Amino acid sequence: MKISDTNFEYPFIIKPLSKGDGGGYLIEFPDLPGCISDGDTIKATLEEGRDAVKAWIETAKNLKRQIPKPGSTLPGDDFSGKFVQRLPKTIHKELSVRAKFEGVSINTLALTYIAKGLGMENNSKNK
């Protein structure tokens, strides 16, 4: 996943927020301490996340602080951030249709679903 002008570079975690916390979703970037944002929808959260990363990096540059490399908080150095998955044609079609509807790539949509699922799993463990 890349965060730049058009795609994500820094790994991120998206978690659903409880109604008590205002609802929506929280995005955080483990490589960039304190870099978090939120949004009402996953798409809005991703957009807000892009802005948060840009602001974090700009501030670090202005303060002459070191900017961590993407993935620097991941254990080991054998994680490329890439995996290839074959899908049944019907699921590929469903993802394609939904991605077009959302105005995102299939990769972005699949990553969003994965992040959302991991966030729900983490929330259920914390209850």
Side-chain angles (χ1 to χ4, degrees), residues 1-15 27-32 42 46 49-50 53 57 68-74 79-83 105-116 118:
M1 294 174 266
K2 299 193 177 219
I3 280 237
S4 66
D5 289 338
T6 57
N7 47 15
F8 285 87
E9 184 174 358
Y10 282 94
F12 61 89
I13 300 166
I14 293 181
K15 300 176 186 176
I27 188 169
E28 61 183 306
F29 300 86
D31 294 332
L32 308 174
I42 290 177
L46 291 169
R50 281 186 176 88
V53 168
I57 290 172
K69 292 182 180 180
S72 60
T73 59
L74 294 174
F79 298 102
S80 68
K82 178 181 178 181
F83 77 100
S105 70
I106 291 175
N107 285 342
T108 298
L109 183 66
L111 290 173
T112 300
Y113 287 156
I114 291 168
K116 185 177 178 181
L118 288 172

Side-chain angles (χ1 to χ4, degrees), residues 30-70:
D31 294 332
L32 308 174
C35 186
I36 62 172
S37 193
D38 64 1
D40 292 331
T41 65
I42 290 177
K43 186 175 179 180
T45 303
L46 291 169
E47 291 170 8
E48 294 295 331
R50 281 186 176 88
D51 292 342
V53 168
K54 288 177 187 176
W56 194 101
I57 290 172
E58 184 177 321
T59 300
K61 285 179 181 177
N62 289 339
L63 296 173
K64 297 182 180 11
R65 293 188 178 161
Q66 184 175 354
I67 299 169
K69 292 182 180 180

Side-chain angles (χ1 to χ4, degrees), residues 78-118:
D78 56 346
F79 298 102
S80 68
K82 178 181 178 181
F83 77 100
V84 179
Q85 184 63 51
R86 304 270 317 151
L87 300 172
K89 289 179 183 180
T90 55
I91 292 176
H92 187 231
K93 180 181 177 183
E94 287 179 39
L95 283 172
S96 296
V97 169
R98 182 62 185 221
K100 186 174 183 177
F101 175 78
E102 295 287 342
V104 298
S105 70
I106 291 175
N107 285 342
T108 298
L109 183 66
L111 290 173
T112 300
Y113 287 156
I114 291 168
K116 185 177 178 181
L118 288 172

